[in-house]
Amino acid sequence: MYNTLEHQIHMARQMVTDHSRIVCLLGVGMRIESGIPNPEGNDIVYYMEEEYGYAPEEIFAASYFYTRPGSFYKAYKDVYLGRDYEPSAAYYRLADLEKQGKLSGCVTQAEYSLAKKAGVWNVVELHGSIYENWCPKCKRRYTKEYLRDQKGTPLCEECKMTIRPGIVLRGEQVRNDYITNAANMISNADMMMVLGTNMNDGLVVWAMNYFRGNCVLEISKNSHFSDNRASLAINAPVVEVLPQIT
Ligand SMILES: [Zn+2]
């Protein structure tokens, strides 16, 4: 019985019941379940090489953006702004948990603001968001739609400066205040949920340095050698498990 999915879900539901300061780490599996391609998947790497002659990490890099903004924006609009993605049902369960006062917040490296879109209020987006762009000179904010609809390189209406996309580019640091917010949230948590990734993920390893509790629930479709570092690891899609335990 111990290893059946049914029993694991029963245990996970009990964990959620017993804790009230849950912090969720949202991994790449969460966004894949919302239909967003894996940024490190072979499909996207192959597509970028074919279409633009560079790998994603070469184009979506600070050095590329500052030296070739036109080419950068061509690829950025295509890959990041080409489609609107809607949060999977799992994100809405997180919003419900937060409303119930059980979820302290979420930490993610995804740039699509899916948790916020689903109504989660406290989300630390370590790698920024495609929705929050700004002029580097006058700091005026620009929407994703404004960037997408501008012909060529999107420029500030006032200063004609190239608008800065809201995501952290390769070679850039994560904002210090974001790191501090995430670390504070995690160190005050009494339970961690690792969703759509495994315990060996860089974000998760980092977060565990701050976590002082002992209850870690991992939900990830794929099993991984690090699963035994969680109190309980359920190898099933988050979108299927979360509604059953919250
Ligand atoms: Zn400006």
Side-chain angles (χ1 to χ4, degrees), residues 31 37 42-44 46 57 67 74-77 108 111 124 132 166 174 182 189 207 214 229 242:
R31 75 168 112 173
N42 287 332
D43 287 355
I44 188 83
Y46 180 76
E57 69 264 27
T67 53
K74 190 160 179 278
Y76 183 75
K77 287 182 194 178
T108 183
E111 305 98 338
V124 180
E132 290 167 25
V174 173
N214 53 23
R229 288 184 221 153
L242 209 54

Side-chain angles (χ1 to χ4, degrees), residues 37-237:
N38 183 348
E40 281 157 19
N42 287 332
D43 287 355
I44 188 83
V45 173
Y46 180 76
Y47 172 77
M48 295 283 293
E49 297 269 10
E50 279 290 294
E51 196 71 21
Y52 300 101
Y54 291 97
E57 69 264 27
E58 293 173 298
I59 294 194
F60 301 128
S63 54
Y64 195 97
F65 170 69
Y66 288 110
T67 53
R68 280 161 287 182
S71 309
F72 171 89
Y73 262 115
K74 190 160 179 278
Y76 183 75
K77 287 182 194 178
D78 178 14
V79 172
Y80 279 94
L81 309 182
R83 262 195 64 179
D84 277 318
Y85 295 100
E86 292 307 318
S88 73
Y91 288 96
Y92 291 94
R93 298 311 289 234
L94 296 179
D96 289 342
L97 263 189
E98 189 181 46
K99 284 190 196 87
Q100 293 163 21
K102 293 183 73 69
L103 179 77
S104 303
C106 297
V107 182
T108 183
Q109 292 176 321
E111 305 98 338
Y112 293 84
S113 293
L114 292 171
K116 284 186 181 172
K117 253 186 165 176
V120 182
W121 183 80
N122 192 16
V123 188
V124 180
E125 297 176 316
L126 291 171
H127 286 184
S129 166
I130 58 170
Y131 292 94
E132 290 167 25
N133 315 288
W134 66 90
C135 168
K137 190 163 175 224
C138 71
K139 309 295 176 204
R140 181 168 162 185
R141 297 266 164 175
Y142 286 94
T143 63
K144 161 185 181 273
E145 288 72 24
Y146 181 88
L147 266 61
R148 187 193 60 202
D149 297 341
Q150 292 292 299
K151 283 216 166 63
T153 306
L155 303 175
C156 176
E157 284 182 324
E158 310 281 335
C159 332
K160 307 298 174 206
M161 293 280 287
T162 299
I163 294 171
R164 166 65 226 212
I167 67 169
V168 172
L169 300 172
R170 201 171 181 93
E172 292 179 326
Q173 303 284 331
V174 173
R175 274 174 53 172
N176 261 327
D177 54 333
Y178 288 6
I179 294 177
T180 305
N181 287 349
N184 284 341
M185 198 199 295
I186 293 161
S187 61
N188 287 311
D190 62 0
M191 174 177 172
M192 298 293 290
M193 277 208 250
V194 174
L195 303 177
T197 187
N198 58 61
M199 299 298 293
N200 204 44
D201 180 320
L203 170 66
V204 179
V205 171
W206 173 81
M208 288 306 148
N209 290 323
Y210 295 95
F211 182 49
R212 293 182 291 194
N214 53 23
C215 182
V216 181
L217 171 63
E218 175 199 316
I219 306 171
S220 178
K221 201 173 119 196
N222 306 314
S223 63
H224 191 267
F225 70 83
S226 64
D227 284 354
N228 61 7
R229 288 184 221 153
S231 317
L232 173 64
I234 301 180
N235 293 133

